[in-house]
Amino acid sequence: MKTFLTNRPLLAGLLLTALAGCGGSSDSERYETLPPTLSYASLCGLPAASGETYRVLEPTGGRCIAKAGFALSDPRRSDPYSSNPQDRREMELKIWYPVAGGSSQPRAEYASKETMQGMGIDLGPNAPRTNARAGGPMADGQRYPVILLAPGLGAVVEMYTALAEDLASHGYIVVGINHGRISGVIVNAEGKVIRNERVPKDEGSDEMLEVLVKDQAFVLDWLAQRNADSGHPLGGHLDLARIGAYGHSIGGATSLQLQRQDARVRAAINLDGTVYGDLSQPWSKPFLILASERPTDPSYLDIMKLQRNVGSSEVLAGFGHGDFSDVKFYVEQYNRNNPVQMALDPEMFLSVRGGDALRLVREKARLFFRSAVK
């Protein structure tokens, strides 16, 4: 039996790791929700993948989607996690978005070869099949709300593809952020693979959260600049008056603190992340905490005491700390098709089935952001 373990640094190195032809109709004519009699692949004319066993859970929205990537460097800030004082803070973005009809692009890869190698994983032919095209333009004149998505410590945002694709299919631009030397790995603009070398012993802290919040504020600045550039693929398509933040573990903690500190962010979801940083000030904007069945985190109690009737916290039955990503859904598919079984850390993954966990989190996220952002 193969065993894949995760440590407190969220799913560090666990991920086993491992546009759309939408029939040409305009975005305004799209289904809000995928009709029950129609598969997402059929709706979007995705290339056939009948020979592939592994897949990302299908989106539930009626918009076809694409995925693009960008590498960022903040020239104003040095990287406190690098031994070289000349190194700047770097981030890698994975962006999922509604795409115009008529694209002939292939399906987007789940994660790049460089990312997988940086995580120490080789999925080979078993990489999950995504539901997004590998690039393609957005429809002219269409603007969409923006959701930032951040992974847990030592993880990469690709491990939350099912969450990102689903929101994008409902008309959001989802900006996934891998943070240099905090996320598991990034590939920078020069193609250099930068790993978090401290995993699996790395731990969250107030100082780390401050770095992450500044990273995400920089990403918002970058998005505003790209939105103003009519020649950029994102140009004119970002509705920056409607921004939310979403994350798992320390990524979720970052979402909450970014929302409180940055006036541009209207609402936030924290997926089971201990909240570091200053907790002494009231929360005055909508937030949602979805917690696992681990003992109640003291930071949640502090936040709920200080929130001004705008936030809620819920424990999800059967959830462990690792049950918010694609990982268990992938493992379940693998175990159905292979005699050598994979096992997950029973302290991180509890009784909920992988597909059920993803469906529940996606539904709660859609309802929350529809009310608080869209």
Side-chain angles (χ1 to χ4, degrees):
M1 175 178 287
K2 296 182 181 179
T3 301
F4 288 86
L5 302 178
T6 60
N7 223 316
R8 213 35 182 142
L10 192 294
L11 307 173
L14 161 73
L15 178 54
L16 329 163
T17 325
L19 255 119
C22 292
S25 61
S26 71
D27 188 79
S28 62
E29 295 170 332
R30 284 268 150 245
Y31 301 107
E32 181 63 27
T33 301
L34 183 68
T37 58
L38 188 64
S39 75
Y40 190 81
S42 297
L43 172 72
C44 296
L46 289 167
S50 58
E52 297 181 48
T53 302
Y54 306 99
R55 62 186 177 87
V56 175
L57 190 66
E58 259 198 355
T60 59
R63 291 177 175 84
C64 304
I65 59 174
K67 178 183 176 185
F70 302 92
L72 279 58
S73 177
D74 185 347
R76 302 166 298 179
R77 298 164 56 224
S78 61
D79 189 341
Y81 296 104
S82 173
S83 59
N84 183 352
Q86 300 305 312
D87 283 343
R88 303 292 94 185
R89 281 299 299 161
E90 294 183 293
M91 293 129 264
E92 184 181 15
L93 305 186
K94 301 297 180 183
I95 301 182
W96 292 263
Y97 58 92
V99 68
S103 172
S104 60
Q105 292 286 85
R107 292 176 188 262
E109 60 188 0
Y110 186 77
S112 71
K113 179 177 68 175
E114 293 79 10
T115 296
M116 292 296 93
Q117 290 176 344
M119 294 287 287
I121 297 161
D122 180 12
L123 287 180
N126 297 327
R129 182 197 73 212
T130 72
N131 301 289
R133 298 275 186 174
M138 284 180 260
D140 291 344
Q142 292 294 328
R143 297 170 70 241
Y144 303 98
V146 175
I147 304 295
L148 305 184
L149 178 62
L153 177 57
V156 290
V157 77
E158 289 89 337
M159 294 164 66
Y160 307 86
T161 294
L163 305 184
E165 287 188 346
D166 191 61
L167 277 179
S169 79
H170 283 270
Y172 297 88
I173 294 176
V174 181
V175 180
I177 307 170
N178 285 327
H179 297 264
R181 297 184 174 88
I182 296 176
S183 300
V185 64
I186 69 165
V187 181
N188 72 7
E190 288 73 44
K192 180 181 178 181
V193 175
I194 300 173
R195 301 179 65 243
N196 181 342
E197 302 289 353
R198 302 177 307 281
V199 168
K201 297 181 180 179
D202 205 4
E203 300 231 0
S205 65
D206 292 352
E207 293 74 22
M208 180 179 289
L209 187 133
E210 182 178 1
V211 171
L212 291 169
V213 168
K214 289 179 179 178
D215 283 355
Q216 295 199 7
F218 173 73
V219 169
L220 290 176
D221 293 341
W222 182 88
L223 292 172
Q225 293 165 3
R226 303 292 84 76
N227 200 41
D229 179 358
S230 60
H232 193 273
L234 299 175
H237 292 295
L238 306 173
D239 185 346
L240 297 177
R242 297 187 290 169
I243 298 174
Y246 190 16
H248 182 206
S249 200
I250 199 166
T254 304
S255 299
L256 278 188
Q257 290 286 19
L258 178 74
Q259 176 220 35
R260 186 167 69 167
Q261 297 176 33
D262 195 311
R264 295 172 290 186
V265 181
R266 296 174 62 167
I269 298 176
N270 174 11
L271 302 177
D272 207 40
T274 297
V275 184
Y276 298 95
D278 178 20
L279 304 181
S280 65
Q281 303 301 315
W283 262 259
S284 58
K285 291 186 281 187
F287 69 83
L288 172 64
I289 298 172
L290 298 178
S292 68
E293 285 192 337
R294 63 187 174 125
T296 302
D297 193 301
S299 67
Y300 301 168
L301 299 178
D302 292 339
I303 291 168
M304 294 307 295
K305 289 177 183 177
L306 290 168
Q307 61 98 9
R308 296 173 173 172
N309 298 317
V310 293
S312 62
S313 177
E314 180 180 353
V315 176
L316 301 183
F319 275 64
H321 188 62
D323 283 314
F324 294 86
S325 74
D326 297 339
V327 171
K328 184 184 281 184
F329 186 64
Y330 179 96
V331 171
E332 290 170 349
Q333 293 178 74
Y334 183 91
N335 287 345
R336 286 195 296 270
N337 292 282
N338 290 276
V340 179
Q341 300 285 286
M342 291 181 178
L344 295 171
D345 181 349
E347 293 185 3
M348 292 286 288
F349 297 87
L350 299 186
S351 61
V352 66
R353 292 182 61 83
D356 292 340
L358 291 171
R359 291 183 187 93
L360 181 61
V361 173
R362 297 194 319 184
E363 179 182 16
K364 290 182 178 296
R366 290 194 306 268
L367 291 173
F368 175 78
F369 284 130
R370 183 184 303 160
S371 171
V373 172
K374 200 170 185 182

